[in-house]
Coordinates of all heavy atoms in Angstrom, one line a residue:
M1 N 0.8 -1.2 0.0 CA 0.0 0.0 0.0 C 0.9 1.3 0.0 O 0.7 2.2 -0.8 CB -0.9 -0.1 1.2 CG -1.8 1.1 1.4 SD -3.2 1.0 0.2 CE -4.2 2.3 0.7
K2 N 1.9 1.3 0.9 CA 2.7 2.4 1.0 C 3.5 2.6 -0.3 O 3.7 3.7 -0.7 CB 3.7 2.3 2.2 CG 3.3 3.0 3.4 CD 4.4 2.9 4.4 CE 4.1 3.8 5.6 NZ 5.1 3.9 6.6
D3 N 3.9 1.5 -0.9 CA 4.6 1.6 -2.2 C 3.8 2.2 -3.3 O 4.3 2.9 -4.1 CB 5.1 0.2 -2.6 CG 6.3 -0.3 -1.8 OD1 6.9 0.6 -1.1 OD2 6.6 -1.5 -1.8
N4 N 2.5 1.8 -3.3 CA 1.6 2.4 -4.3 C 1.5 3.9 -4.1 O 1.5 4.7 -5.1 CB 0.2 1.8 -4.1 CG 0.1 0.4 -4.8 OD1 1.0 0.0 -5.5 ND2 -1.0 -0.3 -4.4
I5 N 1.4 4.4 -2.9 CA 1.3 5.8 -2.6 C 2.6 6.5 -3.0 O 2.5 7.5 -3.7 CB 0.9 6.1 -1.1 CG1 -0.5 5.6 -0.8 CG2 1.1 7.6 -0.8 CD1 -0.8 5.6 0.7
K6 N 3.7 5.9 -2.7 CA 5.0 6.5 -3.1 C 5.1 6.6 -4.6 O 5.6 7.6 -5.1 CB 6.1 5.7 -2.5 CG 6.4 6.0 -1.0 CD 7.6 5.2 -0.5 CE 7.9 5.5 0.9 NZ 9.0 4.7 1.4
S7 N 4.7 5.5 -5.2 CA 4.8 5.4 -6.7 C 3.9 6.5 -7.3 O 4.3 7.2 -8.3 CB 4.4 4.0 -7.2 OG 4.4 4.0 -8.6
A8 N 2.7 6.6 -6.8 CA 1.8 7.6 -7.4 C 2.3 9.0 -7.1 O 2.3 9.9 -8.0 CB 0.4 7.5 -6.7
R9 N 2.9 9.2 -5.9 CA 3.5 10.6 -5.6 C 4.6 10.9 -6.6 O 4.8 12.0 -7.1 CB 3.9 10.6 -4.2 CG 4.5 11.9 -3.8 CD 5.0 12.0 -2.4 NE 3.9 11.8 -1.4 CZ 4.1 11.4 -0.2 NH1 5.3 11.1 0.3 NH2 3.1 11.2 0.6
R10 N 5.5 9.8 -6.8 CA 6.6 10.0 -7.7 C 6.1 10.4 -9.1 O 6.7 11.3 -9.7 CB 7.4 8.7 -7.8 CG 8.9 9.0 -7.8 CD 9.7 7.7 -7.7 NE 9.7 7.2 -6.3 CZ 9.5 5.9 -5.9 NH1 9.3 5.0 -6.8 NH2 9.6 5.6 -4.7
R11 N 5.1 9.7 -9.6 CA 4.5 10.0 -10.9 C 4.0 11.4 -11.0 O 4.2 12.2 -11.9 CB 3.4 9.0 -11.3 CG 4.0 7.9 -12.1 CD 2.9 6.9 -12.6 NE 2.6 6.0 -11.5 CZ 1.4 5.6 -11.1 NH1 0.4 5.9 -11.8 NH2 1.3 4.8 -10.1
M12 N 3.3 11.8 -9.9 CA 2.7 13.2 -9.9 C 3.8 14.3 -9.9 O 3.8 15.3 -10.6 CB 1.9 13.4 -8.6 CG 0.5 12.8 -8.7 SD -0.5 13.5 -9.9 CE -0.8 15.1 -9.2
L13 N 4.9 14.0 -9.2 CA 6.0 14.9 -9.2 C 6.7 15.0 -10.5 O 7.0 16.1 -11.0 CB 7.1 14.5 -8.1 CG 6.6 14.8 -6.7 CD1 7.6 14.1 -5.7 CD2 6.5 16.3 -6.4
K14 N 6.8 13.9 -11.2 CA 7.4 13.9 -12.5 C 6.5 14.7 -13.5 O 7.0 15.5 -14.3 CB 7.6 12.4 -13.1 CG 8.8 11.7 -12.5 CD 8.9 10.4 -13.2 CE 10.0 9.6 -12.5 NZ 10.1 8.2 -13.0
L15 N 5.2 14.4 -13.5 CA 4.3 15.2 -14.4 C 4.3 16.7 -14.1 O 4.4 17.5 -15.0 CB 2.9 14.6 -14.2 CG 2.6 13.3 -14.9 CD1 1.2 12.8 -14.6 CD2 2.8 13.4 -16.4
G16 N 4.3 17.0 -12.8 CA 4.4 18.4 -12.4 C 5.7 19.1 -12.8 O 5.7 20.2 -13.4
G17 N 6.8 18.3 -12.7 CA 8.1 18.9 -13.2 C 8.1 19.1 -14.7 O 8.6 20.1 -15.1
A18 N 7.5 18.1 -15.4 CA 7.5 18.3 -16.9 C 6.6 19.5 -17.2 O 7.0 20.2 -18.1 CB 7.0 17.0 -17.5
A19 N 5.5 19.6 -16.6 CA 4.6 20.8 -16.9 C 5.3 22.1 -16.6 O 5.3 23.0 -17.4 CB 3.3 20.7 -16.1
L20 N 6.0 22.2 -15.4 CA 6.7 23.4 -15.1 C 7.8 23.7 -16.1 O 8.1 24.8 -16.4 CB 7.3 23.3 -13.7 CG 6.3 23.5 -12.5 CD1 7.0 23.2 -11.2 CD2 5.7 24.9 -12.5
A21 N 8.5 22.6 -16.5 CA 9.6 22.8 -17.5 C 9.1 23.4 -18.8 O 9.9 24.0 -19.5 CB 10.3 21.5 -17.7
M22 N 7.9 23.1 -19.2 CA 7.3 23.6 -20.5 C 7.0 25.1 -20.4 O 6.9 25.7 -21.5 CB 6.1 22.8 -20.9 CG 6.4 21.4 -21.3 SD 7.6 21.4 -22.7 CE 6.6 22.2 -24.0
I23 N 6.8 25.6 -19.3 CA 6.3 27.1 -19.2 C 7.3 28.0 -19.8 O 7.0 28.8 -20.7 CB 6.0 27.5 -17.7 CG1 4.7 26.7 -17.3 CG2 5.9 29.0 -17.6 CD1 4.4 26.9 -15.8
P24 N 8.6 27.9 -19.5 CA 9.6 28.8 -20.1 C 9.7 28.6 -21.6 O 9.9 29.5 -22.4 CB 10.9 28.6 -19.4 CG 10.7 27.5 -18.4 CD 9.2 27.2 -18.4
V25 N 9.6 27.3 -22.0 CA 9.7 27.0 -23.4 C 8.6 27.7 -24.2 O 8.8 28.3 -25.2 CB 9.6 25.5 -23.7 CG1 9.5 25.1 -25.1 CG2 10.8 24.8 -23.0
M26 N 7.4 27.6 -23.7 CA 6.2 28.2 -24.3 C 6.3 29.7 -24.3 O 6.0 30.4 -25.3 CB 4.9 27.8 -23.7 CG 4.7 26.3 -24.0 SD 3.3 25.6 -23.1 CE 1.9 26.4 -23.9
A27 N 6.8 30.3 -23.2 CA 6.9 31.7 -23.0 C 8.0 32.3 -24.0 O 7.8 33.3 -24.6 CB 7.2 32.1 -21.6
L28 N 9.1 31.6 -24.1 CA 10.2 32.1 -24.9 C 9.9 31.9 -26.4 O 10.5 32.7 -27.2 CB 11.5 31.4 -24.5 CG 12.1 31.8 -23.2 CD1 13.3 30.9 -22.8 CD2 12.4 33.2 -23.1
S29 N 9.1 31.0 -26.7 CA 8.9 30.7 -28.1 C 8.1 31.9 -28.7 O 8.1 32.2 -29.9 CB 8.1 29.4 -28.4 OG 6.8 29.5 -27.9
G30 N 7.3 32.6 -27.9 CA 6.6 33.8 -28.3 C 5.5 33.5 -29.2 O 4.9 34.4 -29.8
R31 N 5.1 32.2 -29.4 CA 4.1 31.9 -30.3 C 2.7 31.9 -29.6 O 2.6 31.5 -28.4 CB 4.3 30.4 -30.8 CG 5.4 30.4 -31.8 CD 5.5 29.0 -32.4 NE 4.3 28.8 -33.2 CZ 4.0 27.6 -33.7 NH1 4.9 26.6 -33.6 NH2 2.9 27.4 -34.4
T32 N 1.7 32.4 -30.3 CA 0.4 32.2 -29.8 C -0.3 31.2 -30.6 O 0.0 31.1 -31.8 CB -0.4 33.6 -29.9 OG1 -0.3 34.0 -31.2 CG2 0.2 34.6 -29.0
Y33 N -1.0 30.4 -30.0 CA -1.6 29.3 -30.7 C -3.0 29.7 -31.2 O -3.9 30.1 -30.5 CB -1.7 28.1 -29.8 CG -0.3 27.6 -29.5 CD1 0.4 28.0 -28.4 CD2 0.3 26.7 -30.4 CE1 1.7 27.6 -28.2 CE2 1.6 26.3 -30.2 CZ 2.3 26.7 -29.1 OH 3.6 26.3 -28.9
A34 N -3.1 29.6 -32.5 CA -4.4 30.0 -33.2 C -5.5 29.0 -32.8 O -5.3 27.9 -32.5 CB -4.1 30.0 -34.7
A35 N -6.7 29.6 -32.9 CA -7.8 28.8 -32.5 C -9.0 29.2 -33.3 O -9.1 30.4 -33.7 CB -8.2 28.9 -31.0
T36 N -9.9 28.3 -33.6 CA -11.1 28.7 -34.3 C -12.3 28.3 -33.4 O -12.2 27.5 -32.6 CB -11.3 28.0 -35.7 OG1 -11.3 26.6 -35.5 CG2 -10.1 28.4 -36.6
N37 N -13.4 29.0 -33.7 CA -14.7 28.7 -32.9 C -15.6 28.1 -34.0 O -16.4 28.7 -34.6 CB -15.2 30.0 -32.3 CG -16.4 29.7 -31.4 OD1 -17.2 28.7 -31.6 ND2 -16.6 30.5 -30.4
A38 N -15.5 26.8 -34.1 CA -16.2 26.0 -35.1 C -17.7 26.2 -35.0 O -18.5 26.3 -36.0 CB -15.8 24.6 -35.1
A39 N -18.2 26.2 -33.8 CA -19.7 26.2 -33.5 C -20.2 27.6 -34.0 O -21.3 27.6 -34.7 CB -20.0 26.0 -32.1
M40 N -19.5 28.7 -33.7 CA -20.0 30.0 -34.1 C -19.9 30.1 -35.6 O -20.7 30.7 -36.3 CB -19.2 31.1 -33.4 CG -19.5 31.2 -31.9 SD -21.2 31.6 -31.6 CE -21.3 33.3 -32.0
R41 N -18.8 29.6 -36.2 CA -18.6 29.7 -37.6 C -19.7 29.0 -38.4 O -20.2 29.5 -39.3 CB -17.2 29.1 -38.0 CG -16.1 30.0 -37.7 CD -14.7 29.3 -38.0 NE -13.6 30.2 -37.8 CZ -12.6 30.4 -38.6 NH1 -12.6 29.7 -39.7 NH2 -11.7 31.2 -38.3
A42 N -20.1 27.8 -37.8 CA -21.2 27.1 -38.5 C -22.5 27.8 -38.3 O -23.3 27.9 -39.3 CB -21.3 25.7 -37.9
S43 N -22.7 28.4 -37.1 CA -24.0 29.1 -36.9 C -24.2 30.3 -37.8 O -25.3 30.5 -38.3 CB -24.1 29.6 -35.5 OG -24.1 28.6 -34.6
F44 N -23.1 31.0 -38.1 CA -23.2 32.2 -38.9 C -22.7 32.0 -40.3 O -22.5 33.0 -41.0 CB -22.5 33.4 -38.2 CG -23.3 33.8 -37.0 CD1 -22.8 33.6 -35.7 CD2 -24.5 34.5 -37.0 CE1 -23.4 34.0 -34.6 CE2 -25.2 34.9 -35.9 CZ -24.6 34.6 -34.7
K45 N -22.5 30.7 -40.7 CA -22.0 30.4 -42.0 C -20.8 31.2 -42.5 O -20.7 31.8 -43.5 CB -23.2 30.6 -43.0 CG -24.3 29.7 -42.8 CD -25.4 29.9 -43.9 CE -26.5 28.8 -43.7 NZ -27.6 29.1 -43.0
Y46 N -19.8 31.2 -41.6 CA -18.5 31.9 -41.9 C -17.9 31.4 -43.1 O -17.8 30.2 -43.3 CB -17.6 31.9 -40.7 CG -16.2 32.5 -40.9 CD1 -16.1 33.8 -40.9 CD2 -15.2 31.7 -41.3 CE1 -14.8 34.4 -41.1 CE2 -13.9 32.2 -41.6 CZ -13.8 33.6 -41.5 OH -12.6 34.2 -41.8
Q47 N -17.3 32.2 -43.9 CA -16.5 31.8 -45.1 C -15.3 32.7 -45.2 O -15.2 33.8 -44.7 CB -17.3 31.9 -46.4 CG -17.8 33.4 -46.6 CD -18.8 33.4 -47.8 OE1 -19.7 32.6 -47.9 NE2 -18.7 34.5 -48.6
D48 N -14.2 32.2 -45.8 CA -12.9 32.9 -45.9 C -12.9 33.8 -47.0 O -11.8 34.4 -47.3 CB -11.8 31.9 -46.0 CG -11.4 31.3 -44.6 OD1 -11.6 32.0 -43.6 OD2 -10.9 30.2 -44.6
K49 N -14.0 34.1 -47.7 CA -14.0 35.0 -48.8 C -15.1 36.0 -48.6 O -16.1 35.7 -47.9 CB -14.1 34.3 -50.1 CG -15.3 33.4 -50.2 CD -15.3 32.7 -51.5 CE -16.6 31.8 -51.6 NZ -16.6 30.8 -52.6
P50 N -15.0 37.2 -49.2 CA -16.1 38.2 -49.0 C -17.4 37.8 -49.7 O -17.4 37.0 -50.6 CB -15.5 39.5 -49.5 CG -14.3 39.1 -50.4 CD -13.9 37.7 -49.9
A51 N -18.4 38.5 -49.4 CA -19.7 38.3 -50.1 C -20.0 39.7 -50.7 O -20.4 40.6 -50.1 CB -20.8 38.0 -49.1
G52 N -19.6 39.8 -52.0 CA -19.7 41.1 -52.7 C -18.7 42.1 -52.0 O -17.5 41.8 -51.9
D53 N -19.2 43.2 -51.6 CA -18.4 44.2 -51.0 C -18.4 44.1 -49.4 O -17.9 44.9 -48.7 CB -18.7 45.6 -51.4 CG -20.2 45.9 -51.1 OD1 -20.9 45.0 -50.7 OD2 -20.5 47.1 -51.2
K54 N -19.0 43.0 -48.9 CA -19.1 42.8 -47.5 C -18.0 41.8 -47.1 O -17.9 40.7 -47.5 CB -20.4 42.2 -47.1 CG -21.6 43.1 -47.4 CD -22.9 42.5 -47.0 CE -24.1 43.4 -47.4 NZ -25.3 42.6 -47.2
A55 N -17.0 42.3 -46.3 CA -15.9 41.5 -45.7 C -15.7 41.9 -44.3 O -16.1 43.0 -43.8 CB -14.7 41.8 -46.5
C56 N -15.1 41.0 -43.5 CA -14.9 41.2 -42.1 C -14.2 42.5 -41.8 O -14.5 43.2 -40.8 CB -14.1 40.0 -41.5 SG -15.0 38.5 -41.5
R57 N -13.2 42.9 -42.7 CA -12.5 44.2 -42.4 C -13.4 45.4 -42.4 O -13.1 46.4 -41.8 CB -11.4 44.4 -43.4 CG -11.8 44.7 -44.8 CD -10.6 45.0 -45.6 NE -10.4 44.6 -46.9 CZ -11.1 43.8 -47.7 NH1 -12.2 43.4 -47.3 NH2 -10.8 43.5 -48.9
G58 N -14.6 45.3 -43.0 CA -15.6 46.4 -42.9 C -16.7 46.1 -42.0 O -17.7 46.9 -42.0
C59 N -16.6 45.2 -41.1 CA -17.7 44.8 -40.2 C -17.4 45.4 -38.8 O -16.2 45.4 -38.4 CB -17.7 43.3 -40.1 SG -18.9 42.7 -38.9
V60 N -18.4 45.8 -38.1 CA -18.2 46.5 -36.8 C -17.7 45.5 -35.8 O -17.1 45.9 -34.8 CB -19.6 47.1 -36.4 CG1 -20.6 46.0 -36.0 CG2 -19.4 48.1 -35.2
Q61 N -17.9 44.2 -36.0 CA -17.5 43.1 -35.1 C -16.0 42.7 -35.2 O -15.5 42.0 -34.4 CB -18.3 41.9 -35.2 CG -19.8 42.1 -35.1 CD -20.3 42.6 -33.8 OE1 -19.5 42.7 -32.8 NE2 -21.6 42.8 -33.6
F62 N -15.4 43.1 -36.3 CA -14.0 42.6 -36.6 C -13.0 43.2 -35.7 O -13.0 44.4 -35.4 CB -13.6 42.9 -38.0 CG -12.3 42.3 -38.5 CD1 -12.1 41.0 -38.4 CD2 -11.3 43.1 -38.9 CE1 -10.9 40.4 -38.9 CE2 -10.1 42.6 -39.4 CZ -9.9 41.2 -39.3
V63 N -12.1 42.4 -35.2 CA -10.9 42.8 -34.4 C -9.7 42.6 -35.2 O -9.3 41.4 -35.4 CB -10.8 42.0 -33.1 CG1 -9.7 42.5 -32.2 CG2 -12.1 42.1 -32.3
P64 N -9.1 43.6 -35.8 CA -8.0 43.4 -36.7 C -6.8 42.7 -36.1 O -6.5 42.9 -34.9 CB -7.6 44.9 -37.1 CG -8.7 45.7 -36.7 CD -9.4 45.0 -35.6
G65 N -6.0 42.0 -36.9 CA -4.7 41.4 -36.5 C -3.6 42.5 -36.5 O -3.9 43.7 -36.5
K66 N -2.4 42.1 -36.4 CA -1.3 43.0 -36.3 C -1.1 43.9 -37.6 O -0.6 45.0 -37.5 CB 0.0 42.2 -36.0 CG 0.0 41.7 -34.6 CD 1.3 40.9 -34.3 CE 1.2 40.4 -32.9 NZ 2.3 39.5 -32.5
T67 N -1.4 43.3 -38.7 CA -1.4 44.1 -40.0 C -2.7 44.1 -40.6 O -3.6 43.3 -40.2 CB -0.3 43.5 -40.9 OG1 -0.7 42.2 -41.3 CG2 1.1 43.4 -40.3
A68 N -2.9 44.9 -41.7 CA -4.2 44.9 -42.4 C -4.5 43.6 -43.0 O -5.7 43.2 -43.1 CB -4.1 46.0 -43.5
K69 N -3.5 42.8 -43.4 CA -3.8 41.5 -44.0 C -3.8 40.3 -43.0 O -4.1 39.2 -43.4 CB -2.8 41.2 -45.2 CG -3.0 42.2 -46.3 CD -2.0 41.8 -47.4 CE -2.2 42.8 -48.6 NZ -1.3 42.6 -49.7
A70 N -3.3 40.6 -41.8 CA -3.2 39.5 -40.8 C -4.6 39.0 -40.4 O -5.6 39.8 -40.4 CB -2.4 40.0 -39.6
L71 N -4.6 37.7 -39.9 CA -5.8 37.2 -39.4 C -6.1 37.9 -38.0 O -5.2 38.3 -37.3 CB -5.7 35.7 -39.1 CG -5.4 34.8 -40.3 CD1 -5.2 33.4 -39.9 CD2 -6.6 34.9 -41.3
G72 N -7.4 38.1 -37.8 CA -7.8 38.8 -36.5 C -8.8 38.0 -35.8 O -8.9 36.8 -35.9
G73 N -9.7 38.7 -35.1 CA -10.7 38.1 -34.3 C -12.1 38.7 -34.6 O -12.2 39.6 -35.4
C74 N -13.0 38.2 -33.9 CA -14.4 38.7 -34.1 C -15.0 38.8 -32.7 O -14.9 37.9 -31.9 CB -15.2 37.8 -34.9 SG -16.9 38.2 -35.1
K75 N -15.7 39.9 -32.4 CA -16.2 40.1 -31.1 C -17.3 39.1 -30.7 O -17.6 38.9 -29.5 CB -16.8 41.6 -31.0 CG -15.8 42.6 -31.1 CD -16.4 44.0 -31.2 CE -15.4 45.0 -31.5 NZ -16.0 46.3 -31.9
I76 N -18.0 38.5 -31.7 CA -19.0 37.6 -31.4 C -18.6 36.1 -31.5 O -19.4 35.2 -31.4 CB -20.3 37.8 -32.2 CG1 -20.0 37.6 -33.7 CG2 -20.8 39.2 -31.9 CD1 -21.3 37.6 -34.5
Y77 N -17.3 35.9 -31.9 CA -16.7 34.5 -32.0 C -15.7 34.4 -30.9 O -14.5 34.5 -31.1 CB -16.0 34.3 -33.3 CG -16.9 34.2 -34.5 CD1 -18.2 34.7 -34.6 CD2 -16.4 33.5 -35.6 CE1 -19.0 34.6 -35.7 CE2 -17.2 33.4 -36.8 CZ -18.5 33.9 -36.8 OH -19.2 33.8 -37.9
P78 N -16.1 34.0 -29.7 CA -15.1 33.9 -28.6 C -14.0 32.9 -28.9 O -14.3 31.8 -29.3 CB -16.0 33.4 -27.4 CG -17.4 33.6 -27.8 CD -17.4 33.7 -29.3
G79 N -12.8 33.4 -28.6 CA -11.6 32.5 -28.7 C -11.1 32.3 -30.1 O -10.1 31.6 -30.3
D80 N -11.8 32.8 -31.1 CA -11.4 32.6 -32.5 C -10.4 33.6 -32.9 O -10.7 34.8 -32.9 CB -12.6 32.6 -33.4 CG -12.3 32.0 -34.8 OD1 -11.3 32.2 -35.3 OD2 -13.2 31.2 -35.3
T81 N -9.2 33.2 -33.3 CA -8.1 34.1 -33.6 C -7.7 34.0 -35.1 O -6.7 34.4 -35.5 CB -6.8 33.8 -32.8 OG1 -6.4 32.5 -33.0 CG2 -7.1 34.1 -31.3
E82 N -8.6 33.3 -35.9 CA -8.2 33.1 -37.3 C -9.3 33.7 -38.2 O -9.6 33.1 -39.3 CB -8.2 31.6 -37.5 CG -7.1 30.9 -36.7 CD -6.1 30.2 -37.5 OE1 -6.5 29.5 -38.4 OE2 -4.9 30.4 -37.2
I83 N -9.8 34.8 -37.9 CA -10.8 35.5 -38.8 C -10.1 36.3 -39.8 O -9.3 37.1 -39.5 CB -11.7 36.4 -38.0 CG1 -12.5 35.6 -36.9 CG2 -12.7 37.1 -38.9 CD1 -13.4 34.6 -37.4
S84 N -10.4 35.9 -41.1 CA -9.7 36.6 -42.2 C -10.4 38.0 -42.4 O -11.6 38.1 -42.3 CB -9.9 35.8 -43.5 OG -9.5 36.6 -44.6
P85 N -9.5 39.0 -42.6 CA -10.1 40.3 -43.0 C -11.0 40.3 -44.2 O -11.8 41.1 -44.4 CB -8.9 41.2 -43.2 CG -7.7 40.4 -43.1 CD -8.1 39.0 -42.6
N86 N -10.7 39.2 -45.1 CA -11.5 39.1 -46.3 C -12.6 38.0 -46.1 O -13.3 37.6 -47.1 CB -10.6 38.6 -47.4 CG -9.7 39.7 -47.8 OD1 -10.0 40.8 -47.9 ND2 -8.4 39.3 -48.1
G87 N -12.9 37.6 -44.8 CA -14.0 36.7 -44.6 C -15.3 37.4 -44.5 O -15.5 38.6 -44.8
Y88 N -16.3 36.5 -44.3 CA -17.7 37.1 -44.2 C -18.5 36.1 -43.4 O -18.3 34.9 -43.5 CB -18.2 37.3 -45.6 CG -19.7 37.5 -45.6 CD1 -20.3 38.7 -45.3 CD2 -20.6 36.5 -45.9 CE1 -21.6 38.9 -45.3 CE2 -22.0 36.6 -45.9 CZ -22.5 37.9 -45.6 OH -23.8 38.1 -45.5
C89 N -19.5 36.6 -42.8 CA -20.6 35.7 -42.2 C -21.9 36.4 -42.2 O -22.0 37.6 -42.5 CB -20.2 35.2 -40.8 SG -20.6 36.3 -39.5
T90 N -23.0 35.7 -41.9 CA -24.3 36.3 -41.9 C -24.6 37.3 -40.8 O -25.6 38.0 -40.9 CB -25.4 35.2 -41.9 OG1 -25.2 34.4 -40.7 CG2 -25.3 34.3 -43.1
A91 N -23.6 37.5 -39.9 CA -23.8 38.5 -38.8 C -23.1 39.8 -39.2 O -23.0 40.7 -38.4 CB -23.2 37.9 -37.5
W92 N -22.7 39.9 -40.4 CA -22.0 41.1 -40.9 C -22.8 42.4 -40.7 O -24.0 42.4 -41.0 CB -21.6 41.0 -42.4 CG -20.8 42.1 -42.9 CD1 -19.4 42.1 -42.9 CD2 -21.2 43.3 -43.5 NE1 -19.0 43.3 -43.5 CE2 -20.1 44.1 -43.8 CE3 -22.5 43.9 -43.7 CZ2 -20.1 45.3 -44.4 CZ3 -22.5 45.2 -44.3 CH2 -21.4 45.9 -44.6
V93 N -22.2 43.4 -40.1 CA -22.9 44.7 -39.9 C -21.8 45.7 -40.3 O -20.7 45.7 -39.8 CB -23.3 44.9 -38.4 CG1 -23.9 46.3 -38.3 CG2 -24.4 43.9 -38.0
A94 N -22.1 46.7 -41.1 CA -21.2 47.7 -41.6 C -20.6 48.5 -40.4 O -21.3 48.9 -39.5 CB -21.9 48.6 -42.5
A95 N -19.3 48.6 -40.4 CA -18.6 49.4 -39.4 C -18.9 50.9 -39.7 O -19.0 51.2 -40.9 CB -17.1 49.1 -39.4
P96 N -19.0 51.7 -38.7 CA -19.2 53.2 -39.0 C -18.0 53.7 -39.8 O -16.9 53.3 -39.6 CB -19.3 53.8 -37.6 CG -19.0 52.8 -36.6 CD -18.8 51.4 -37.3
K97 N -18.3 54.6 -40.7 CA -17.3 55.3 -41.5 C -16.5 56.2 -40.7 O -17.0 56.8 -39.8 CB -18.0 56.1 -42.6 CG -18.9 55.3 -43.5 CD -18.1 54.6 -44.6 CE -19.0 53.9 -45.6 NZ -18.5 52.7 -46.1
K98 N -15.1 56.1 -40.9 CA -14.2 57.0 -40.1 C -14.0 58.3 -40.8 O -14.1 58.5 -42.0 CB -12.9 56.2 -40.0 CG -13.1 55.0 -39.1 CD -11.7 54.3 -38.9 CE -12.0 53.0 -38.1 NZ -10.8 52.2 -38.0
Ligands
SF4_1 FE1 -16.6 38.7 -39.9 FE2 -19.0 37.9 -39.2 FE3 -17.3 38.6 -37.3 FE4 -18.4 40.4 -38.9 S1 -19.5 39.2 -37.5 S2 -16.2 40.3 -38.3 S3 -18.5 39.3 -40.9 S4 -17.0 36.9 -38.7

């Protein structure tokens, strides 16, 4: 019984150590991991191309990426970081003119 507890504790320490060791690797790599929100994309029929002159870059919900051509986000698609400025969905609403 004691051996089982010691063995389980040893495994937990190893896993915890491995997890801790990965933190600086992930932090130094400077990479952010892209994600999509498949459920929201399906609900609003998201597509990676514009619909006529309607594109995400002209939508009030669009959150631009680092550059004008970079992928960005959408205020109504939680966690989605792969929204194309040239994309479109049925929730499109014109952004106010600047
Ligand atoms: Fe693009 Fe639709 Fe989001 Fe507007 S609501 S930015 S069209 S994904």
Side-chain angles (χ1 to χ4, degrees):
M1 179 76 172
K2 264 188 170 180
D3 285 343
N4 283 346
I5 292 172
K6 280 184 181 177
S7 176
R9 184 182 295 160
R10 220 174 281 137
R11 266 185 276 143
M12 285 294 292
L13 288 172
K14 281 183 185 175
L15 283 174
L20 283 174
M22 286 303 293
I23 290 172
V25 172
M26 291 171 73
L28 290 175
S29 72
R31 288 187 62 187
T32 53
Y33 292 91
T36 60
N37 187 329
M40 292 298 285
R41 285 177 175 225
S43 294
F44 292 107
K45 298 185 169 89
Y46 175 81
Q47 61 189 41
D48 281 329
K49 58 184 180 192
D53 60 348
K54 296 177 183 173
C56 292
R57 67 173 141 3
C59 176
V60 72
Q61 307 293 359
F62 187 59
V63 180
K66 289 181 180 172
T67 66
K69 291 183 178 176
L71 298 175
C74 174
K75 293 173 191 167
I76 63 169
Y77 287 26
D80 198 317
T81 58
E82 300 242 315
I83 301 295
S84 169
N86 292 319
Y88 167 80
C89 83
T90 56
W92 187 91
V93 175
K97 301 277 183 214
K98 292 179 184 175

